Amino acid sequence: MELKPTMLQERIATLDILRGISLIGILLVNMYAFYLPMPHIDLVTWFNTPSDIVWQQNLDIYVQGSFYPLFAMLFGYGLAIQWQKAQSRAQNFYPLGFRRLLVLFVFGVIHAVLIWWGDILMMYAFCGVFLLLLLRLRPIWLLLIAIILNGIMHAFTFLALAFVNVPEAEGYYVDIVSIEQAITAYGTGTWVDAFIQRLADLAVQASPLMWIVSLFTILPYMLVGAAASKWHLVERAKELKWLWITLAVSGLVIGIFLKSLPILFTRTLLLDSIKIYIGGPILSIGYIGLVVLLCLWPFVPKLLRPLANMGRMSLTIYIMQSIIGTCLFYQFGFGWYGKITVATGVFIAIGIIVVQMVIAEIWLSKWKQGPLEALWRKLTYKQKVESH
């Protein structure tokens, strides 16, 4: 029997809505990298006007570091669903799964080299290989491995930082030479200048250390998502309502508190690490719990259909955001690089999301998948996209 992709009637609306929401959070964070010389600056100390500082602090608490774990968990949940479907049909999912991840990795390379240096697809495909190798394990073991991997990183990080007291944040992660080069290339340079700078920034984003770190930051969240998928936590949300209430309330309260620590107290590297690596993922679980609970009301999935449509074409939407962002801010486009406030960046992101919701609605009224999803499916399953 031949393996086939997930059909429309088999999709879980809550998961698509969560993917759509995660794309909003990812864009809000990525906006910085579209119009500022990331990753060579410290965002917290970069801004000097009161309004920019307030907007940056709110994004830092509610968005930064909380949506890539969410998307990683959804990635793990989805891959585990495909694996379980293959198992129920006594099929070998591994050749197909590895091919699917290879295609995703190639998409990521093209995205990173030709469009935007901040690509995450390559890291997801890389971590996905390890996830695929572990999918045979029972969900409790997937969860335990996730905790151990993440715990190892926390242990090394906090043991090192516990003895480092940096009361003021001036100078964190700042590279003056690289900042000037990025501003020149993206702000005033040609497409070729931006291309050369993109390769330099990509060397930082995809350094050997980052690949290793991803196994302790991204892979654990994928494993958590896969464990949740095997337990059918989203599908059984009504039955497990009190679990989801607990996750939502505790995740939101604890996550927001931990992410506020560097603002409530004197900022240190230790508090920053707690904010990013503990508070961020905990808050993402809170967001997931809240959305799952809201979707228990039948009218909510219908109300949030535009988000679900974005989630159904998440790969296309993600790449499209990079194309729009670089065209708006780089000199070969509208040339807004370094010329906007944080608030303006947020409003531009909202505008992009609204446009993408309309595009997704129109596209999915004719076809069952986004264009890049269709290409991904064709290269994986050797099938063509179907129209309605």
Side-chain angles (χ1 to χ4, degrees):
M1 186 180 295
E2 184 182 2
L3 276 173
K4 296 181 179 180
T6 301
M7 296 295 102
L8 183 59
Q9 63 270 22
E10 297 175 303
R11 300 192 68 92
I12 303 169
T14 302
L15 295 179
D16 285 333
I17 291 169
L18 282 167
R19 289 188 187 96
I21 292 172
S22 67
L23 286 166
I24 296 176
I26 288 170
L27 177 60
L28 287 171
V29 172
N30 286 349
M31 288 298 290
Y32 287 130
F34 290 139
Y35 66 82
L36 290 177
M38 304 283 289
H40 313 294
I41 65 173
D42 171 34
L43 277 174
V44 175
T45 57
W46 179 260
F47 304 104
N48 49 38
T49 62
S51 61
D52 277 345
I53 292 172
V54 171
W55 276 91
Q56 187 277 326
Q57 287 179 341
N58 279 284
L59 286 173
D60 213 23
I61 293 172
Y62 299 105
V63 182
Q64 189 86 30
S66 291
F67 284 88
Y68 84 86
L70 193 161
F71 206 77
M73 284 185 262
L74 291 171
F75 187 94
Y77 206 107
L79 195 64
I81 286 177
Q82 294 175 338
W83 182 86
Q84 291 172 90
K85 185 173 71 172
Q87 288 295 107
S88 68
R89 298 174 179 174
Q91 297 165 333
N92 183 9
F93 178 69
Y94 291 101
L96 182 76
F98 285 123
R99 187 162 69 243
R100 181 176 176 82
L101 293 172
L102 176 61
V103 174
L104 182 64
F105 186 86
V106 172
F107 279 148
V109 172
I110 296 171
H111 176 226
V113 173
L114 297 181
I115 302 174
W116 181 57
W117 59 266
D119 173 78
I120 196 64
L121 301 178
M122 292 187 296
M123 291 287 184
Y124 274 49
F126 171 70
C127 292
V129 171
F130 293 89
L131 171 63
L132 198 57
L133 294 173
L134 295 170
L135 276 179
R136 284 190 177 276
L137 298 177
R138 297 176 63 181
I140 187 62
W141 286 108
L142 294 175
L143 184 60
L144 286 175
I145 293 173
I147 294 172
I148 291 170
L149 288 175
N150 210 227
I152 290 173
M153 187 201 66
H154 292 329
F156 277 104
T157 301
F158 297 140
L159 281 175
L161 296 181
F163 301 100
V164 179
N165 182 24
V166 185
E168 296 297 333
E170 299 296 334
Y172 282 18
Y173 327 119
V174 173
D175 182 341
I176 300 300
V177 174
S178 296
I179 289 173
E180 293 176 348
Q181 291 174 343
I183 291 174
T184 301
Y186 297 134
T188 62
T190 63
W191 188 92
V192 174
D193 295 325
F195 173 77
I196 295 172
Q197 182 62 38
R198 182 161 56 247
L199 295 181
D201 290 339
L202 181 60
V204 177
Q205 171 75 1
S207 67
L209 178 62
M210 294 299 291
W211 294 96
I212 296 172
V213 170
S214 70
L215 297 178
F216 299 90
T217 54
I218 296 175
L219 178 58
Y221 307 134
M222 291 183 175
L223 290 168
V224 170
S229 179
K230 286 195 166 189
W231 278 319
H232 306 291
L233 296 188
V234 173
E235 295 89 334
R236 297 165 55 211
K238 190 172 183 180
E239 171 191 345
L240 302 173
K241 182 171 64 176
W242 285 106
L243 171 64
W244 283 113
I245 290 174
T246 302
L247 292 175
V249 174
S250 60
L252 292 171
V253 172
I254 297 173
I256 291 173
F257 172 73
L258 292 178
K259 294 189 72 178
S260 302
L261 288 178
I263 298 173
L264 297 174
F265 303 98
T266 301
R267 184 188 179 207
T268 64
L269 285 170
L270 180 60
L271 291 183
D272 266 3
S273 296
I274 293 173
K275 174 193 72 175
I276 296 169
Y277 298 115
I278 299 181
I282 289 176
L283 183 57
S284 70
I285 292 174
Y287 286 149
I288 293 172
L290 179 61
V291 173
V292 169
L293 289 171
L294 289 175
C295 287
L296 290 178
W297 281 297
F299 72 91
V300 172
K302 296 178 181 178
L303 185 66
L304 299 182
R305 176 181 166 180
L307 289 175
N309 286 340
M310 285 180 56
R312 284 174 55 191
M313 18 188 322
S314 56
L315 178 61
T316 298
I317 293 295
Y318 173 71
I319 299 295
M320 188 190 304
Q321 289 175 352
S322 297
I323 295 172
I324 294 173
T326 53
C327 287
L328 287 177
F329 297 109
Y330 290 3
Q331 180 61 29
F332 57 78
F334 284 79
W336 294 349
Y337 192 87
K339 299 177 181 179
I340 67 169
T341 64
V342 180
T344 302
V346 171
F347 294 138
I348 291 174
I350 294 172
I352 292 172
I353 291 298
V354 171
V355 170
Q356 289 187 312
M357 285 181 178
V358 174
I359 292 173
E361 181 69 30
I362 294 173
W363 184 272
L364 293 176
S365 67
K366 182 172 177 59
W367 289 283
K368 294 182 178 180
Q369 288 183 305
L372 290 184
E373 285 75 13
L375 179 59
W376 192 8
R377 185 176 80 169
K378 182 177 180 179
L379 294 173
T380 302
Y381 298 94
K382 309 294 177 62
Q383 294 179 358
K384 294 182 180 180
V385 65
E386 299 176 6
S387 61
H388 287 298

